[in-house]
Every structure is written in C-alpha cells, then in structure tokens.
Amino acid sequence: MHLNSLKVTRYSAAALILCLLAVLLRQSSCFVGVHDRLHHHAARTSATTRTLLFMSDPQNEGDRDLLSRFNNPIIDDPGLPLADTMVAQIVAPSLQVFWLSLVHAPSPTWLKPIFDNTLWQAQGALLAPTLIHGAGLAFCWLMGALAAQAYRKEAFDPTVDGYGTVIFRVAQAGAFATGLLILGTQIDLFLEFGRHVQPGESEGIDLRLLSAGVELLNDVIFEASCLTSSRLFLAIMTARGKENRNDN
C-alpha cells in the first residue's frame, strides 16, 4: 500500500506542477499581448497605463489578499517561475542524490526505480523517481513563491528595495513551501500506515518516522541552498545589468 499510495501522491504532484506552469505560461503570454496594446494606447493618449494582470501596480501594492496572490498573481518576469521550477525539480534533487552517493549515505525512500527488476537495473533508472520527487518540491516552492509575492520586481531586483527585500521574500516563500512539504509528508505517512502514528509505538514506526524526518530535512536544506543561490545570482546580475546600461 505504501508504494502504490506514494506513487499516486507523487504523480499527482507532477500533474499539479505541470498544470500550474501551463496556467502561468498561458497568462504570461496573454500579458505580453495585453501590455503591448496598452503601451500603444498609452502612447496615443499620453497617459501611463499598466496592466493589472501581471505587472505590479503601485496603487494596489497593499490591498491584495492571500487568495488573489494565487488566482491572479503579479509576475513581473514571466520566465522566472520556469527557472525556479528547473532549479527546484532538477538541480536540487540531483545534487542531493549526488551528495548522498558521494558520502555513501542511505538512499531516500523515494529514490527507487519505478519498475523493479531483480536481474538488472537499467542506466538512468533513478532519473524518473528523482524528477517525480522534484516535481512535488517544485510545486511546494511555486506555491510559497506566489504566497510571498516572490515574482514581483522588488523580489529579484535589488535596485528597487535592496538585497534585504530579495532575501526576505525568499525566506517567506521557503517558510510557506516548508509548511506544504511537512503537510505532504504527514499525508504520505497517513496513507502508508492508514492511521495517525506517534513515535514510540514500535521500532518499525520509529525507524520510518526518523527516515521521513531526515529526508524532509535534506529536501529543505538542498532546496533552500539552490533556490537562494539562484535568486541571489539573478539579483546580482540584474543589478549589474542596470549599472552597465546606466554607464553606457
């Protein structure tokens, strides 16, 4: 029951992340067309017009409730959600697998080939479970980034509010994502045992809870390291690009 429920949960997470990306990319393509039309209209009327679909509106900075951050997000860089997804789904889990193999640590429970074969194991058999597990992690991060409004300009452009805002938005998104990951781990354990379990009930349960806690900690550490590094790199490059344009 554990393997079946675990695979269903991770396939569902993969489907959710694909659907979310499809919605974001679709709306971002709509944003480009709407913004172009508004730009031409503004040029004719000599008025400043900004679309409320994705681009930040200074007049509505503080009146957005939590629900509107998800169903009508403000994304000043339409390519940033895709970049975050690649880091959260591919880079961070792959680095975690490489590090655990390098230090000869036990493999996590999610790192199992989808099709078990006792005679031989094909090359790349661990790629699919890594990507499936990474899809769940990327979903958690995207939800956290939307909740923390980490796709607004000030969240990745330090020339707006400084590097403190960039780091603070990443920390907010990470806290929300960690909460979702903890909730998903609890659901996974509930599906595995069919009930709510507590430490101390048996040696098997204690071992499973310990492994789940270690895997959760590893996921948080590697995701936080990779995503924070990528966001800081983006902020530094954005600031340097603006400085070079100003110098020229």
Side-chain angles (χ1 to χ4, degrees):
M1 177 179 178
H2 166 57
L3 292 178
N4 293 332
S5 62
L6 195 58
K7 290 179 180 179
V8 170
T9 303
R10 287 173 182 163
Y11 279 123
S12 301
L16 286 174
I17 190 68
L18 290 177
C19 292
L20 179 62
L21 277 177
V23 171
L24 293 177
L25 291 177
R26 177 181 177 83
Q27 292 184 354
S28 64
S29 62
C30 295
F31 156 75
V32 175
V34 172
H35 182 261
D36 290 340
R37 291 193 296 269
L38 290 175
H39 177 72
H40 292 303
H41 177 71
R44 291 194 304 267
T45 59
S46 299
T48 303
T49 305
R50 307 186 72 185
T51 176
L52 300 181
L53 181 61
F54 278 95
M55 186 171 290
S56 300
D57 184 11
Q59 297 179 353
N60 295 321
E61 286 288 331
D63 59 354
R64 294 179 58 83
D65 56 7
L66 183 60
L67 183 59
S68 64
R69 300 181 185 182
F70 296 96
N71 58 20
N72 189 26
I74 296 177
I75 301 179
D76 291 324
D77 184 357
L80 188 54
L82 182 60
D84 282 348
T85 300
M86 294 179 63
V87 173
Q89 181 180 5
I90 301 175
V91 177
S94 300
L95 288 178
Q96 182 180 168
V97 173
F98 176 76
W99 172 256
L100 293 178
S101 302
L102 186 64
V103 299
H104 303 287
S107 299
T109 56
W110 50 264
L111 192 63
K112 297 291 186 293
I114 297 180
F115 301 102
D116 295 331
N117 194 323
T118 57
L119 297 179
W120 60 280
Q121 181 172 317
Q123 294 183 353
L126 302 180
L127 177 62
T130 302
L131 294 179
I132 293 174
H133 180 71
L137 298 176
F139 174 78
C140 294
W141 167 256
L142 285 179
M143 291 295 100
L146 292 177
Q149 304 182 87
Y151 294 118
R152 287 191 172 188
K153 189 175 183 180
E154 64 270 15
F156 59 85
D157 189 350
T159 61
V160 178
D161 286 334
Y163 285 95
T165 301
V166 175
I167 298 175
F168 183 68
R169 292 291 177 88
V170 172
Q172 283 183 315
F176 192 95
T178 302
L180 288 180
L181 186 58
I182 293 175
L183 179 61
T185 303
Q186 292 176 337
I187 295 175
D188 181 26
L189 293 173
F190 182 83
L191 293 175
E192 177 179 351
F193 293 100
R195 62 184 180 86
H196 180 66
V197 294
Q198 294 284 351
E201 295 185 13
S202 65
E203 293 183 358
I205 291 178
D206 290 345
L207 181 61
R208 180 67 185 93
L209 293 179
L210 179 61
S211 63
V214 173
E215 293 172 8
L216 176 65
L217 182 61
N218 287 336
D219 287 335
V220 172
I221 291 176
F222 279 91
E223 291 288 330
S225 301
C226 294
L227 288 167
T228 303
S229 301
S230 65
R231 283 301 187 105
L232 288 178
F233 177 77
L234 174 62
I236 293 173
M237 297 304 296
T238 301
R240 288 182 178 177
K242 285 192 172 183
E243 290 178 357
N244 294 333
R245 286 194 297 268
N246 293 333
D247 293 339
N248 296 331

